[in-house]
Amino acid sequence: MEVDKGKGEAEETRKVAEADRDTVTLKSSDGKLFEVSKEAAARLSTVLAGMIAGGSIDDNGTDLKQIGSEALENVVDYCNKHANSIPSAALISSSISFNTAPFKEPEEWERKFVDRLSHDALFDLVEAANFLGMERLLDVTCHKISEMMKGKSPDQIREVFNIKNDYTKEELEEIRQELAWAFYDD
Amino acid sequence: MTTTTTMPESPASPPRATTKRPRHGHEAAPSLPDEVIVEHILTRVPAADVVRFRAVCRNWRAALTSDHFVRAHQTARAAAAHHPLDIVFFAPGAAAGSTTFYSSRLYNSTTPHNDGSSPASATELVTVSDLRASDLVMSGGCHRLTLLFQPGESAYHVINLSTGEHVSLPPCAWANRAIPYGPYVLSSAGLGFHPASNEHKVVRLFEDGWTKRPRCEVHGLSQLRRGEEVPGHAAKGLTGRPPVFVDGCFYWHMNTSFNFPGVEEEIFRTPEPILSLSVDTERFEWVSPPTRYEFLLAQVDGHLYELWVRTPASWSLRCRISFGSLLPRPTRDAMGRAIRMLPIGSSGGKILLATSRHEVYAYDTERNSVDRVFSMQDFIDAPREPELLLRAVTGVRRRPVAGSDVGKLKVNLGRSSDGHHFTATQQRAHRMFTAARLLYKYARAITSSGSDGAATIFSSPPQAGLSLSKLESNSAPSPRYSLTSHHTTGSRRHSPRHTPSTLGDAQLHSWHLKRDNRITRQAEHNLPLPGYPYALTLSPIGGEKHIPKQWPTTLKNTALSMTKITAIRIDHNTLQRLYTCTQPGLRLVASHKPPSKNGTLLVSRAVVPRKCESIPPELPIGGGAISPRAHEITQKSSHPDIRSGCYYPHRGVVVLLGVVVLLSQCSSGGGS
């Protein structure tokens, strides 16, 4: 992975002991450590912001059991890039409600960022962003996925999303007839 | 590794375990939480895709058809739209008998864009295969829906321009003509929204061709109500324009002097020149205009405006436009070449004025300047100055002259993504002269139609000005009645256990109730359909339908999916017909009442939504979002296919007034 700051190799040795660092260390599910700027983490992630404010950050690596190292690497990468490119903070709305805030189109670097991801990595990143409450990252990645979904057939969608088809054959036929105009492939 | 910190639960954290499948190849994908999929991903997918994805699984179907999702989808798509205001027009489609709707952003057509791109670009919204453009009039709109009128067949359709889904209203009753064998019929229909029931309604005010009495039909709510008697002579002053819908009320402008010059005008004169009908109470009221001068009604920004205002009691003046001093001069001169114009909405604080030369100007109230922001000539070879707009407010009647403004209509769709290039075929000549004349009459309806920002026309006599004033809206119509729920059981497809947990039970419950509300007892009667030898029993939810095999597929109901339409016909004398045609998954409901006591047999016919065959792969919802893969229409030469001597007024109509303003934000206009 062409990561410029979020290196995955060096953090094993990096055991910084000072309390007042400007970075936080995150630990993935498989034990790898990543370092990210405290300011960026607090600004981009509601969850991390809450943890930093609550003092529940562990200097030896905050355990994020739910996130694999690959996804976490991408998250950290995104945070670093975001910190460099966008000076002003985008405010984070509640993630419970539907996203009613105007969605800004992904910027060029964000588009490139998600474009280089593999399918699995993208989905993992969505999950990580959702878990960490990173609204903007979630927006960007979901936007990418929704673009991928355009024009796909239900079969393809099931495959992509790993969904079991629980319709009976008759029901499916019924739906297709009902919405025949939407199935322009047949 | 010891867990030294406990991870707080994210507020949106999915309850579902993040189970991952072993990755082998690309086939196995991690399964995302339902909430993320539905709320963050599917809300961004175009409407047509959303409809198709109902076939993915039960959970998705339940989620995608919920009111909650539909609202969220609309909100998300509207928020993603960059340009909230688009001009929508239509032209004959590539296939014979089809109509293609286009939307164009407002652009400054007098100065080229900075980035060098052609300012004139339009996006193909949708192509409808079974509506002929030559016989089509945009007759009003509300939210995402647009009311279309086919004068030749006297048929009304409601179309969702985002998806192309459309339903046809029941065949409308014969309307009387203003003058025997005259060109105009006394009929006016509009589309409105009833917030209390969250449903759209189509109201048609007309003079019955048989009884010669004014009648009003309300196609909408599934609650049968006997409306108030239509005031006498109410239909005599209909000018063919659709009513203006503001704050839950329809407003008709009664202009008897237009239809009946001379003595008859005195006889048919109405108490006030504005008639209002509340969709909530279904009561008529006369509204006093601020002036006795000739005026026209318009809706801008969700308010009712009236032109030529003096000192209104309940009207407040919004602005005055003086045409003599507009800047810059060339634009003013170009604008002045048009005989008529009308406000069709506002955008970014500017008032949009459409002229009869198929152009739209944005008027800046502060700088007293105008910019041309849209020109139909960029897309279609339109007639220069068709005679089919509104007559001037000054009272000069302009008689439509047959054939004088035959438009050469040609649309070249070029430079689409796949290099596909084709020319739209010309439509056949209009078959009925009267229908054509009707189009003249109804043409004005087109420009004055809009979704949330509708409009009207005023004249621009030299040295004259224009005043826009606002009617202080009454208090919002209170939900005077609530629907009673008729519970139908056995909706197996939508049972709550298939609901994703993230969609609250309460929401789904209300959704169920709402759906059930439309199922009335009458709706489950066996219905002999005229013209079909067999009876039809259709369940609204589906599952128990008995459709004969030979029933054509095209007759099957594809109800509007993203928006709900319930169509009932209520005759104010006798409740004749009940049509319900509702939300996704719901089937055709048709019923009839038994013969009334006086022995009149009341017959119903089916609501037959048409099938739309061609849907562009990417459909912006509402017309706000412009897809990058859109076809571009470019200006091309005139069409060689016009036969001399044919009467093509509809082309002018198509061109000129296939103009509608779509607001992507669906918040205004009585929507909430």
Side-chain angles (χ1 to χ4, degrees), chain B residues 311-586:
Chain B
T311 52
S314 60
W315 300 73
S316 65
L317 189 69
R318 187 191 192 197
C319 70
R320 280 181 211 280
I321 304 172
S322 170
F323 290 112
S325 61
L326 284 182
L327 297 171
R329 172 107 196 205
T331 314
R332 180 178 80 205
D333 292 345
M335 194 176 173
R337 281 196 283 273
I339 294 180
R340 305 166 190 86
M341 62 184 74
L342 73 156
I344 59 171
S346 68
S347 168
K350 297 179 178 181
I351 293 175
L352 299 178
L353 304 169
T355 72
S356 53
R357 291 170 72 87
H358 325 303
E359 290 164 343
V360 178
Y361 292 86
Y363 171 72
D364 192 327
T365 52
E366 292 182 0
R367 291 163 42 217
N368 192 33
S369 64
V370 281
D371 284 321
R372 193 173 71 185
V373 292
F374 175 80
S375 174
M376 189 73 86
Q377 298 286 348
D378 290 342
F379 306 107
I380 296 171
D381 196 359
R384 280 270 162 213
E385 178 72 50
E387 298 269 351
L388 39 73
L389 253 182
L390 285 182
R391 73 203 159 93
V393 174
T394 48
V396 179
R397 172 161 323 174
R398 297 195 154 261
R399 288 197 52 198
V401 182
S404 67
D405 50 9
V406 166
K408 297 172 187 158
L409 192 75
K410 171 163 176 167
V411 183
N412 271 337
L413 303 174
R415 300 203 304 274
S416 65
S417 56
D418 51 355
H420 187 48
H421 187 275
F422 62 91
T423 305
T425 56
Q426 280 284 5
Q427 295 294 302
R428 286 174 302 164
H430 211 286
R431 47 182 169 172
M432 289 168 57
F433 181 71
T434 46
R437 299 288 296 274
L438 271 180
L439 275 171
Y440 270 121
K441 182 70 172 176
Y442 276 81
R444 56 183 69 176
I446 305 183
T447 350
S448 60
S449 66
S451 38
D452 286 334
T456 271
I457 293 190
F458 58 95
S459 75
S460 62
Q463 312 302 326
L466 161 75
S467 300
L468 298 178
S469 67
K470 173 178 138 191
L471 175 66
E472 301 298 340
S473 63
N474 307 323
S475 57
S478 57
R480 291 265 308 266
Y481 53 91
S482 59
L483 294 176
T484 51
S485 161
H486 302 264
H487 288 282
T488 37
T489 54
S491 91
R492 55 193 165 86
R493 259 191 261 153
H494 303 288
S495 67
R497 65 192 162 90
H498 297 306
T499 313
S501 57
T502 50
L503 294 173
D505 281 348
Q507 276 153 340
L508 196 85
H509 184 60
S510 66
W511 169 62
H512 261 283
L513 275 186
K514 247 186 276 172
R515 290 169 63 114
D516 290 344
N517 278 338
R518 302 202 189 95
I519 310 159
T520 59
R521 286 295 162 207
Q522 293 92 332
E524 293 169 353
H525 289 176
N526 287 338
L527 171 70
L529 285 176
Y532 294 99
Y534 39 77
L536 189 65
T537 307
L538 289 179
S539 148
I541 295 288
E544 301 95 356
K545 62 170 183 178
H546 304 292
I547 299 186
K549 278 294 175 201
Q550 64 269 29
W551 189 266
T553 342
T554 51
L555 288 182
K556 288 205 182 149
N557 185 2
T558 53
L560 291 182
S561 67
M562 304 307 291
T563 353
K564 284 149 290 178
I565 284 275
T566 307
I568 301 181
R569 181 182 196 122
I570 300 178
D571 177 33
H572 281 228
N573 299 318
T574 48
L575 301 174
Q576 283 189 326
R577 298 157 188 178
L578 166 67
Y579 299 89
T580 308
C581 157
T582 43
Q583 225 300 79
L586 293 199

Side-chain angles (χ1 to χ4, degrees), chain B residues 101-298:
Chain B
F101 292 85
Y102 304 93
S103 84
S104 168
R105 299 178 185 179
L106 300 177
Y107 55 90
N108 195 333
S109 61
T110 47
T111 58
H113 271 196
N114 297 330
D115 52 1
S117 65
S118 166
S121 72
T123 303
E124 181 178 331
L125 281 179
V126 70
T127 297
V128 182
S129 60
D130 51 3
L131 294 177
R132 287 190 305 120
S134 59
D135 188 22
L136 212 55
V137 175
M138 281 196 202
S139 180
C142 189
H143 298 162
R144 309 262 179 253
L145 301 180
T146 303
L147 180 66
L148 299 175
F149 177 51
Q150 279 185 293
E153 302 175 5
S154 288
Y156 286 94
H157 313 275
V158 178
I159 183 170
N160 183 342
L161 284 180
S162 305
T163 63
E165 292 169 284
H166 52 295
V167 290
S168 303
L169 293 186
C172 49
W174 179 47
N176 198 18
R177 292 181 188 281
I179 306 163
Y181 308 106
Y184 307 143
V185 292
L186 300 172
S187 169
S188 170
L191 178 67
F193 182 75
H194 188 220
S197 62
N198 195 26
E199 280 176 318
H200 288 81
K201 284 187 170 190
V202 175
V203 170
R204 179 172 178 245
L205 180 66
F206 64 105
E207 185 173 277
D208 191 279
W210 299 103
T211 63
K212 304 287 188 287
R213 285 184 53 79
R215 278 175 56 188
C216 183
E217 292 174 342
V218 179
H219 305 261
L221 196 63
S222 55
Q223 173 108 343
L224 298 179
R225 292 164 52 85
R226 178 179 287 272
E228 197 174 336
E229 285 294 314
V230 184
H233 303 318
K236 290 287 187 193
L238 290 177
T239 55
R241 298 190 48 253
V244 171
F245 181 74
V246 180
D247 285 340
C249 286
F250 288 96
Y251 294 90
W252 282 275
H253 176 211
M254 297 295 163
N255 196 344
T256 42
S257 62
F258 177 60
N259 293 324
F260 302 97
V263 188
E264 285 176 304
E265 195 264 331
E266 302 281 333
I267 303 171
F268 295 140
R269 182 176 289 166
T270 51
E272 299 287 349
I274 301 177
L275 178 67
S276 77
L277 171 68
S278 161
V279 292
D280 186 44
T281 60
E282 293 188 1
R283 289 189 185 280
F284 287 98
E285 276 178 23
W286 293 104
V287 178
S288 172
T291 176
R292 284 292 171 185
Y293 288 101
E294 297 235 19
F295 64 91
L296 291 154
L297 292 174

Side-chain angles (χ1 to χ4, degrees), chain A residues 158-175:
Chain A
R158 274 185 219 112
E159 189 178 310
V160 167
F161 284 92
N162 203 2
I163 291 174
K164 190 171 171 297
N165 180 11
D166 53 0
Y167 283 120
T168 64
K169 217 165 193 164
E170 295 76 34
E171 280 176 329
L172 209 54
E173 189 50 39
E174 199 175 309
I175 293 173

Side-chain angles (χ1 to χ4, degrees), chain A residues 47 56 58 98 120 123-124 127 130 139 151-152 158 160 162 166-167 171 174-175 177-178 181, chain B residues 4-5 7 18 21 23 29 39 44 52 54-56 58 61 68 165 493 556 558 587 612 615:
Chain A
V47 172
S56 53
D58 184 11
F98 275 120
D120 284 356
F123 274 54
D124 282 343
E127 216 170 313
N130 184 46
D139 274 349
K152 292 266 199 317
R158 274 185 219 112
V160 167
N162 203 2
D166 53 0
Y167 283 120
E171 280 176 329
E174 199 175 309
I175 293 173
Q177 281 188 5
E178 196 175 284
W181 58 270
Chain B
T4 50
T5 48
M7 191 69 198
T18 56
R21 315 214 162 201
R23 315 251 169 105
E39 300 194 10
R44 301 178 198 277
R52 192 172 60 248
R54 286 181 206 158
V56 168
R58 292 169 192 265
R61 182 183 171 112
H68 187 45
E165 292 169 284
R493 259 191 261 153
K556 288 205 182 149
T558 53
R587 300 295 171 128
C612 177
I615 300 237

